[in-house]
């Protein structure tokens, strides 16, 4: 289970299993049950080991965990594995009769509230939403950020900002990829995912050297690494450890293009005869970031050379 849209459904009774099977018709879901129920249906998989340990394992592999049973079972199972609201999966509890759908963890950032409402409409149940902004019909800033493809730089500000909203005060929210002074004493900083980092490097460049060079490049460009939507390069670098590691560490896709794809891109790019003779394209970093950014994109910063590494930066428009 490595798909970001994957949902795990845990059921503990026959009524719960039947409800889980209904849900699997609507979602990309895997159903886990006690071993004694595994032969009941071909879709059912065994809960391996003790429940808490099993939940801890799958919590890193799914976007949501749905418990069909008592809230107490869910709370005891997930309590040891809760980290932060930016990383925790959505956790929802549904009673085995399918009357109530209750999001209990990661209601906004993880999307538990939204998913609970969707499930409720599908099975004709009542969603039980308890987050203060929702029940007062106010904007949830963290939920807004996720829906608008923004990373939250300072999640510690969410509670203060939400409190100000509930009290009817004006709030400070900065939505920008640029590193700049915040406008208010308490400002929630949201980073739109609108930048593509293009990169080329010598074979065998170290992970540390690449990371340090990328940090220097982004810092000197005045932008946040949290606004990176992807890392882009040429396909002969698709398995280069430093590039693969950077993309993984920053949770962004690593996109590559063939030399012919890069070279066919129209535009004014910094030309290198040496790069052309070795790779088949006269520029990797600029052409790669613009290829990944798509039509209408602009280069924010042209080719910058470090020791064995080149970077360029494009902004998606």
């Amino acid at each position: 289970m490595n798909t970001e849209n994957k949902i795990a459904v845990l059921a503990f009774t026959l009524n719960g299993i039947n409800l889980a099977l209904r849900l699997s018709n609507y979602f990309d879901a895997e159903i886990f049950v006690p071993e004694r129920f595994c032969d009941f249906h071909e879709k059912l998989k065994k809960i391996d080991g003790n429940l808490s340990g099993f939940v801890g394992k799958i919590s890193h592999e799914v976007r949501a965990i749905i418990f069909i049973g008592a809230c107490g079972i869910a709370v005891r199972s997930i309590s040891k594995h809760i980290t932060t609201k930016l990383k925790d999966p959505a956790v929802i509890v549904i009673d085995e009769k399918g009357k109530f759908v209750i999001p209990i963890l990661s209601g906004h950032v993880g999307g538990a509230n939204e998913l609970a409402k969707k499930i409720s409409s599908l099975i004709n149940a009542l969603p039980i939403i308890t987050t203060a902004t929702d029940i007062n019909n106010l904007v949830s800033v963290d939920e807004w950020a996720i829906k608008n493809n923004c990373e939250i730089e300072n999640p510690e500000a969410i509670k203060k900002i939400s409190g100000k909203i509930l009290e009817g005060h004006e709030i400070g929210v900065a939505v920008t990829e640029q590193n700049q002074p915040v406008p208010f004493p308490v400002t929630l900083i949201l980073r739109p995912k609108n930048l593509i980092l293009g990169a080329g490097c010598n074979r065998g460049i170290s992970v540390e050297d690449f990371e340090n060079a990328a940090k220097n490049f982004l810092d000197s460009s005045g932008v946040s690494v949290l606004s990176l939507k992807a890392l882009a390069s040429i396909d002969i670098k698709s398995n280069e450890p430093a590039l693969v590691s950077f993309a993984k560490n920053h949770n962004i896709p690593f996109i590559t293009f063939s030399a012919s794809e890069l070279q066919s891109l129209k535009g004014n790019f910094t030309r290198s005869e040496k790069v052309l003779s070795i790779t088949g394209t006269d520029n990797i970093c600029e052409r790669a970031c613009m290829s990944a950014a798509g039509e209408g994109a602009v280069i924010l910063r042209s080719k910058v050379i470090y020791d064995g590494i080149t970077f360029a930066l494009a902004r998606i428009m």
Side-chain angles (χ1 to χ4, degrees):
M1 293 188 297
N2 283 317
T3 306
E4 62 178 10
N5 290 324
K6 182 73 71 176
I7 294 173
V9 183
L10 281 66
F12 309 97
T13 64
L14 289 178
N15 284 335
I17 290 169
N18 284 323
L19 180 54
L21 291 169
R22 284 176 60 193
L23 292 177
S24 70
N25 293 324
Y26 303 108
F27 301 100
D28 181 14
E30 286 189 281
I31 305 171
F32 298 95
V33 300
E35 185 174 9
R36 66 182 182 277
F37 293 124
C38 284
D39 293 334
F40 183 73
H41 194 281
E42 60 183 8
K43 287 187 177 181
L44 305 182
K45 299 181 179 181
K46 182 180 70 170
I47 294 174
D48 192 18
N50 72 78
L51 184 58
S52 178
F54 180 75
V55 168
K57 176 184 177 183
I58 64 173
S59 65
H60 303 293
E61 303 172 344
V62 297
R63 77 175 182 96
I65 302 175
I66 299 173
F67 290 84
I68 302 180
C71 283
I73 294 175
V75 171
R76 284 192 292 270
S77 300
I78 66 173
S79 60
K80 295 180 180 179
H81 312 294
I82 296 173
T83 55
T84 71
K85 63 166 58 187
L86 298 186
K87 295 182 179 180
D88 292 329
V91 178
I92 292 172
V93 177
I94 309 175
D95 65 286
E96 68 164 42
K97 291 292 187 179
K99 293 182 178 181
F100 305 105
V101 183
I102 312 166
I104 64 171
L105 185 67
S106 206
H108 291 148
V109 176
N113 288 359
E114 195 80 12
L115 182 58
K117 293 174 185 177
K118 184 174 183 179
I119 291 172
S120 298
S121 68
L122 292 171
I123 65 173
N124 194 27
L126 179 66
I128 308 297
I129 310 297
T130 59
T131 41
T133 49
D134 292 88
I135 62 175
N136 285 283
N137 294 315
L138 297 172
V139 173
S140 164
V141 289
D142 43 348
E143 188 172 42
W144 185 94
I146 299 305
K147 286 183 177 180
N148 288 275
N149 197 28
C150 294
E151 287 282 340
I152 302 171
E153 181 170 296
N154 55 335
E156 67 279 1
I158 293 174
K159 184 176 180 180
K160 293 180 180 179
I161 292 290
S162 296
K164 293 293 184 183
I165 292 174
L166 288 168
E167 293 168 4
H169 298 300
E170 294 183 350
I171 61 169
V173 179
V175 185
T176 179
E177 72 277 1
Q178 299 178 6
N179 291 322
Q180 54 186 300
V182 295
F184 305 103
V186 179
T187 301
L188 184 68
I189 304 172
L190 305 182
R191 300 299 189 184
K193 306 287 280 185
N194 60 356
L195 302 179
I196 305 292
L197 180 64
C201 69
N202 292 342
R203 181 180 301 163
I205 202 81
S206 78
V207 170
E208 183 179 6
D209 285 347
F210 187 90
E211 182 75 38
N212 289 338
K215 183 179 186 305
N216 180 275
F217 175 78
L218 294 170
D219 287 347
S220 61
S221 301
V223 299
S224 170
V225 67
L226 294 178
S227 280
L228 290 183
K229 185 178 179 65
L231 173 68
S233 189
I234 192 169
D235 58 3
I236 59 175
K237 293 296 179 182
S238 61
N239 294 315
E240 189 69 41
L243 277 70
V244 172
S245 176
F246 180 86
K248 182 178 180 181
N249 289 342
H250 295 281
N251 196 30
I252 57 174
F254 178 27
I255 304 170
T256 61
F257 302 90
S258 67
S260 60
E261 287 175 317
L262 294 178
Q263 193 61 24
S264 66
L265 185 66
K266 303 298 182 183
N268 296 317
F269 301 103
T270 307
R271 183 177 176 85
S272 169
E273 294 296 333
K274 180 179 180 181
V275 172
L276 178 63
S277 66
I278 295 173
T279 67
T281 181
D282 60 13
N283 182 292
I284 293 174
C285 57
E286 292 176 7
R287 289 182 178 275
C289 67
M290 287 296 286
S291 295
E295 187 175 353
V298 296
I299 287 187
L300 283 186
R301 194 174 184 189
S302 299
K303 180 179 177 180
V304 176
I305 302 173
Y306 290 81
D307 187 12
I309 307 169
T310 60
F311 291 115
L313 191 66
R315 187 181 194 275
I316 300 169
M317 302 301 289

